[in-house]
Amino acid sequence: MRIVAGELRGRLFEGPPGLDTRPTTDKVREAIFNALGSLDVVRDAVVADLYAGSGGLGIEALSRGAAEVVFVERDRAALRTLRDNLRTLDLTDRSRVVQGDALIAARSIPADVVLADPPYDFDDWAGLLAAVDAPFVAAEAGHPLDSLDGLDDLGWEVTRSKRYGRTWVTFFERIDPAAE
């Protein structure tokens, strides 16, 4: 796998071992970060990469100027690959790795942007959005997320939803109650 853009553009990193972790393709990572770049939400931000796998999304965020990325992953083999990738790319000083469940960890990570790429069969999006303490979430799923029930009640709105092959990318932003 390769880093698409930024200070580490073109550098290679290892993908996740085995078949349990599905890496985000270069095309989807490029689309996500081009859109995030146009919104200017990554540069100098604290980013949480939930369900990090080998770290592709968070590494791309660091390459594009994120101040720090907190990677959350529970699979031991993926964690080894993630830590190796961070060392190889000399990103350990701007990274923190949390071993554990992303839904639980999300509650304690103060972030500006959350990148969420859970397994395609994940279905607790409402629980994840309720746990996140950030104004912005970029989510990957195997189906559209723009019609989730109770988004308004959770304080979120969908600002973008686009399909890339089998992957749906949805951007959620916090609703400002004072603006209503």
Side-chain angles (χ1 to χ4, degrees), residues 5 14 30 32-33 44 46 78 88 90 95 129 148 156 167 174:
E14 293 298 316
E30 183 173 23
I32 289 170
F33 282 95
D44 300 323
V46 175
T88 300
D90 197 26
S95 306
L129 290 169
L148 289 176
W156 293 97
T167 302
R174 283 219 183 269

Side-chain angles (χ1 to χ4, degrees), residues 132-150:
V132 166
D133 180 26
F136 193 91
V137 174
E140 281 188 59
H143 54 85
L145 299 176
D146 52 354
S147 61
L148 289 176
D149 289 332

Side-chain angles (χ1 to χ4, degrees), residues 99-116:
Q99 180 176 359
D101 183 84
L103 278 172
I104 294 169
R107 291 170 172 54
S108 62
I109 301 172
D112 302 305
V113 177
V114 170
L115 306 171

